[in-house]
């Protein structure tokens, strides 16, 4: 799925996060993860392993999208590490070297959420096999 299609499908949710940033200064980050081939067969439920304030949206069987409320690039990166740790523990995946690759982009004053989503989709496409999590600072 392309970032434009994804944005249009969930535009209401994205506008809500953008509004909260503009109105109340609530920072947020967007994350796209690409699951390892071996995890596709598992029916992973992300809802119990993310905070109630965060949002999970499934893109396709490989890609998942997360909105992390109240985070900057540093804390969003930490949240993705915690997501990885929780997946390892919950599904007993310690035998795998790499369970997913992730791309993290945080809200900045001059950037709207549509641009953030486009950048996140671009980052995940460019993420090399040996990297687990990439941020825009890694470019």
């Amino acid at each position: 799925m392309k970032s434009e299609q994804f944005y249009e499908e969930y535009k209401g949710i994205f506008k809500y996060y953008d509004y909260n940033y503009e109105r109340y200064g609530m920072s947020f980050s967007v994350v796209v993860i690409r699951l390892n081939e071996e995890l596709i067969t598992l029916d992973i439920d992300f809802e119990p392993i993310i905070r109630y304030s965060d949002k999970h949206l499934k893109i396709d069987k490989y890609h998942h999208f997360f909105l992390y409320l109240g985070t900057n690039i540093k804390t969003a990166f930490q949240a993705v590490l915690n997501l990885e740790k929780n997946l390892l523990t919950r599904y007993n995946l310690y035998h795998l070297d790499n369970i997913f690759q992730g791309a993290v982009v945080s809200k900045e004053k001059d950037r709207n959420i549509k641009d953030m989503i486009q950048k996140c989709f671009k980052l995940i496409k460019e993420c090399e096999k040996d990297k687990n999590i990439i941020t825009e600072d890694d470019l």
Side-chain angles (χ1 to χ4, degrees), residues 67-83:
L67 286 151
Y68 287 114
L69 188 62
T71 60
N72 57 26
I73 197 77
K74 221 174 168 180
T75 53
F77 186 87
Q78 186 63 46
V80 176
L81 289 175
N82 286 337
L83 177 68

Side-chain angles (χ1 to χ4, degrees), residues 97-109:
D97 291 336
N98 182 4
I99 62 171
F100 67 76
Q101 294 173 303
V104 181
V105 177
S106 289
K107 177 73 173 179
E108 293 177 3
K109 291 180 184 176

Side-chain angles (χ1 to χ4, degrees), residues 79-96:
V80 176
L81 289 175
N82 286 337
L83 177 68
E84 181 180 40
K85 181 182 83 173
N86 289 337
L87 282 173
L88 286 169
T89 304
R90 186 178 193 102
Y91 294 97
N92 196 21
L93 301 170
Y94 295 108
H95 62 283
L96 297 174

Side-chain angles (χ1 to χ4, degrees), residues 17 26-29 46-56 66-72 75-76 79 82-83 86:
Y17 276 77
M26 286 294 293
S27 61
F28 65 92
S29 300
F46 287 99
E47 297 306 320
I49 56 178
I50 61 172
R51 300 178 305 177
Y52 288 117
S53 60
D54 300 332
K55 189 75 175 160
H56 165 251
F66 298 89
L67 286 151
Y68 287 114
L69 188 62
T71 60
N72 57 26
T75 53
N82 286 337
L83 177 68
N86 289 337

Side-chain angles (χ1 to χ4, degrees), residues 3-138:
S3 63
E4 295 84 20
Q5 291 172 308
F6 184 70
Y7 175 79
E8 287 302 319
E9 187 173 337
Y10 296 105
K11 183 172 24 180
I13 294 169
F14 299 143
K15 285 185 176 184
Y16 172 78
Y17 276 77
D18 243 356
Y19 172 79
N20 279 324
Y21 178 81
E22 297 299 327
R23 179 85 167 132
Y24 304 110
M26 286 294 293
S27 61
F28 65 92
S29 300
V30 296
V31 174
V32 173
I33 65 167
R34 180 177 47 226
L35 294 177
N36 182 331
E37 192 75 36
E38 296 177 38
L39 268 67
I40 302 305
T41 58
L42 298 176
D43 186 24
I44 296 176
D45 183 13
F46 287 99
E47 297 306 320
I49 56 178
I50 61 172
R51 300 178 305 177
Y52 288 117
S53 60
D54 300 332
K55 189 75 175 160
H56 165 251
L57 304 169
K58 185 175 182 178
I59 300 171
D60 58 35
K61 65 181 182 178
Y62 291 101
H63 297 88
H64 295 265
F65 185 88
F66 298 89
L67 286 151
Y68 287 114
L69 188 62
T71 60
N72 57 26
I73 197 77
K74 221 174 168 180
T75 53
F77 186 87
Q78 186 63 46
V80 176
L81 289 175
N82 286 337
L83 177 68
E84 181 180 40
K85 181 182 83 173
N86 289 337
L87 282 173
L88 286 169
T89 304
R90 186 178 193 102
Y91 294 97
N92 196 21
L93 301 170
Y94 295 108
H95 62 283
L96 297 174
D97 291 336
N98 182 4
I99 62 171
F100 67 76
Q101 294 173 303
V104 181
V105 177
S106 289
K107 177 73 173 179
E108 293 177 3
K109 291 180 184 176
D110 60 339
R111 182 186 299 160
N112 66 32
I113 194 160
K114 192 172 186 177
D115 295 335
M116 292 170 64
I117 293 168
Q118 287 175 341
K119 185 165 231 162
C120 215
F121 272 70
K122 182 182 175 191
L123 283 170
I124 200 68
K125 284 180 186 174
E126 295 177 2
C127 193
E128 299 168 11
K129 285 210 178 243
D130 61 339
K131 288 194 175 182
N132 287 356
I133 305 166
I134 188 170
T135 67
E136 54 194 326
D137 295 340
D138 295 326

